């Protein structure tokens, strides 16, 4: 299976600042997904990152807060903008398996906002 | 009703015993079901996939699927302390655009 590298692995940020998370895959993939996992909660899909077009956001998530870039088929970034303590979560990038059903996850970014 | 439901636990089992985890889902036409293991502070790791009714075994893990009753379960035989983790059930929900929808997870604690 593909290797998914995500960085930073963790960060502590101040309220009102922004953080960009990078996700690099060692092979070309059509779709990449960004998930959020709030403390003690399950995974919630933020958006699907599409190469060559704007990301598709899930209900409750907006581009101004979570801008996403997908410059090529191996790389994507998620920015968490104007952060507040409520944004403290694990952020995960993921790619689908060969049959586009299962997902494989990067190592995650543990974000704490003070 | 949540689309994918799990008992949050913790499920406490003695070492060597069988841990039994259950998951129910709302979308009757779902076809793909997955179990992920997540250690504290780590990302989810896929451990089982199941697509047809019945049992599927892989090492100490057995996944069981019953589409008529809309539940999928995971059995962990000969539980080890290293199995202590949160187990996430995930289902392809057609109503959600065939996206993978996760349950809240069951925390398992295996006591030596």
């Amino acid at each position: 299976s593909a290797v998914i590298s995500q960085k930073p692995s963790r960060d502590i940020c101040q309220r009102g600042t922004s953080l960009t998370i990078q996700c690099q895959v060692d092979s070309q993939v059509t779709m990449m997904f960004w998930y959020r996992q709030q403390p003690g909660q399950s995974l919630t899909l933020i958006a699907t990152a599409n190469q060559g077009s704007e990301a598709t956001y899930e209900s409750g998530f907006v581009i101004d807060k979570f801008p996403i870039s997908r410059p090529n088929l191996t790389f994507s970034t998620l920015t968490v903008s104007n952060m507040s303590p409520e944004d403290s979560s694990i952020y995960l990038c993921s790619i689908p398996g060969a049959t586009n059903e299962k997902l494989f996850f990067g190592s995650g970014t543990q974000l704490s906002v003070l | 009703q949540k689309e994918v439901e799990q008992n949050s636990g913790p499920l406490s089992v003695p070492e060597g015993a069988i841990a039994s985890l259950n998951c129910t889902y709302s979308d009757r036409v779902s076809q793909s079901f997955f179990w992920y293991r997540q250690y504290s502070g780590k990302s989810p790791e896929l451990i089982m996939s199941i697509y047809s009714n019945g049992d599927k075994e892989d090492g100490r893990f057995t996944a069981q699927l019953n589409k008529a009753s809309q539940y999928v379960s995971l059995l962990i035989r000969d539980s080890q302390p290293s199995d202590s983790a949160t187990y996430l059930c995930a289902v392809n929900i057609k109503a959600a655009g065939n996206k993978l929808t996760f349950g809240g997870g069951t925390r398992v604690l295996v006591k030596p």
Side-chain angles (χ1 to χ4, degrees):
Chain A
S1 58
V3 176
I4 310 167
S5 303
Q6 192 174 333
K7 59 180 181 181
S9 58
R10 59 177 62 240
D11 207 340
I12 300 172
C13 300
Q14 296 297 319
R15 182 195 300 259
T17 63
S18 297
L19 175 72
T20 295
I21 302 167
Q22 299 180 5
C23 182
Q24 177 77 54
V25 186
D26 68 349
S27 59
Q28 293 186 339
V29 292
T30 305
M31 291 186 291
M32 294 175 75
F33 304 96
W34 287 98
Y35 279 83
R36 180 177 73 181
Q37 187 175 31
Q38 294 176 301
Q41 304 296 313
S42 190
L43 281 71
T44 302
L45 180 62
I46 298 172
T48 302
N50 307 303
Q51 197 270 332
S53 64
E54 282 197 358
T56 305
Y57 289 83
E58 298 300 305
S59 175
F61 298 96
V62 295
I63 187 171
D64 289 347
K65 177 66 176 177
F66 297 101
I68 287 172
S69 78
R70 183 82 199 273
N72 57 55
L73 291 175
T74 65
F75 186 78
S76 178
T77 67
L78 169 76
T79 298
V80 186
S81 303
N82 188 24
M83 288 183 285
S84 66
E86 292 72 34
D87 294 319
S88 297
S89 296
I90 299 173
Y91 292 85
L92 295 151
C93 71
S94 67
I95 63 172
T99 56
N100 285 337
E101 294 173 321
K102 63 190 75 171
L103 289 178
F104 298 99
F105 290 90
S107 53
T109 297
Q110 175 82 59
L111 171 61
S112 297
V113 184
L114 305 179
Chain B
Q1 179 189 6
K2 291 182 180 178
E3 292 175 309
V4 182
E5 293 204 63
Q6 296 179 254
N7 188 319
S8 62
L11 176 65
S12 184
V13 296
E15 184 174 357
I18 296 175
S20 178
L21 292 75
N22 294 315
C23 170
T24 58
Y25 58 95
S26 61
D27 186 3
R28 185 169 291 277
V29 300
S30 295
Q31 296 293 323
S32 307
F33 308 87
F34 308 94
W35 283 99
Y36 287 81
R37 177 177 62 198
Q38 186 176 26
Y39 292 113
S40 181
K42 302 296 184 182
S43 62
E45 172 193 9
L46 180 66
I47 56 172
M48 289 290 285
S49 308
I50 188 165
Y51 304 95
S52 10
N53 282 327
D55 295 0
K56 179 182 177 183
E57 187 174 315
D58 184 358
R60 294 186 296 110
F61 298 105
T62 298
Q64 299 174 318
L65 176 61
N66 185 323
K67 290 185 181 180
S69 300
Q70 294 175 236
Y71 82 79
V72 56
S73 61
L74 180 70
L75 301 177
I76 308 174
R77 291 184 301 282
D78 187 23
S79 295
Q80 301 297 310
S82 59
D83 295 324
S84 297
T86 296
Y87 290 80
L88 300 166
C89 172
V91 180
N92 272 109
I93 300 288
K94 186 173 183 180
N98 275 327
K99 296 190 178 81
L100 208 54
T101 301
F102 289 82
T106 297
R107 184 168 159 242
V108 172
L109 183 61
V110 181
K111 296 185 174 180

